[in-house]
Amino acid sequence: MTMVETSSTTLMTRSTAAAPPETPAGNGRTTRLPGAAVVHRAVEVNQRYAPTLVRLALATVFVWFGALKLIGASPVEDLIAATLPFVDAGFAVPALGIVEVAIGLVLALGLFPRTTLLVLAGHLAGTFLSFVTASELMWGAHIFELTADGEFVLKNVVLISAALLLIATYSPRTDERATA
């Protein structure tokens, strides 16, 4: 099964309220705003390639971080051990590595993209458990001060958001489902 490429399924392409690329001239003709053609072309290129680039970026991060866990070189081994104190770290770290490499490879291949991205988002959501079970590693001296571990986990909000956006991108639009 391969990924279906769509060019008009993101929220940005549904908007019709964007500024028009042309303005009326005094002589009844329309003139293009400076740079409108460049912006229009950049939007077209973005719509075509950005979902694939984001998908491959997520896949790369997952394969890389998972591989580090498998070879025992991950800088977050202690964080995982503190986050999951009820599971032996010698088992948990490589197990998470296997899961991450598998998610990354399936995502890179473009197989079952919506399901894979949902699993990816769920996996990343699980990392927030560290704010509960290993809170001493997450917070600095002040309420808004995060440690490096806290920042590392908090950045997963961005990765989760990217996964959710891709799920929407690879899903048929509501009006397309109604006519199918």
Side-chain angles (χ1 to χ4, degrees):
M1 176 178 217
T2 59
M3 193 165 321
V4 177
E5 184 175 329
T6 59
S7 62
S8 62
T9 56
T10 63
L11 290 176
M12 289 193 332
T13 60
R14 293 183 200 153
S15 175
T16 58
E22 300 179 1
T23 57
N27 58 8
R29 294 185 188 165
T30 56
T31 57
R32 295 181 71 78
L33 293 173
V38 173
V39 171
H40 180 71
R41 181 66 182 137
V43 168
E44 287 177 344
V45 170
N46 181 61
Q47 288 172 334
R48 182 170 183 173
Y49 297 109
T52 300
L53 292 175
V54 171
R55 179 177 56 82
L56 292 175
L58 285 171
T60 300
V61 167
F62 263 69
V63 169
W64 194 328
F65 286 14
L68 289 175
K69 289 175 181 73
L70 287 173
I71 64 171
S74 175
V76 297
E77 288 183 18
D78 292 339
L79 177 60
I80 293 169
T83 301
L84 303 171
F86 41 85
V87 180
D88 177 41
F91 171 78
V93 173
L96 286 171
I98 290 169
V99 168
E100 290 174 3
V101 168
I103 290 170
L105 291 175
V106 173
L107 194 58
L109 294 171
L111 302 173
F112 314 106
R114 292 179 295 169
T115 302
T116 305
L117 289 160
L118 190 59
V119 169
L120 180 149
H123 173 75
L124 290 171
T127 66
F128 291 99
L129 178 63
S130 60
F131 280 97
V132 176
T133 60
S135 60
E136 69 281 358
L137 298 176
M138 302 287 104
W139 301 105
H142 306 288
I143 185 75
F144 294 111
E145 182 183 348
L146 293 173
T147 63
D149 286 334
E151 289 182 11
F152 178 79
V153 172
L154 186 62
K155 64 93 178 85
N156 287 343
V157 169
V158 176
L159 300 178
I160 292 168
S161 298
L164 295 176
L165 182 62
L166 287 178
I167 290 169
T169 300
Y170 295 128
S171 297
R173 289 179 37 193
T174 305
D175 56 341
E176 291 173 2
R177 286 187 298 240
T179 59

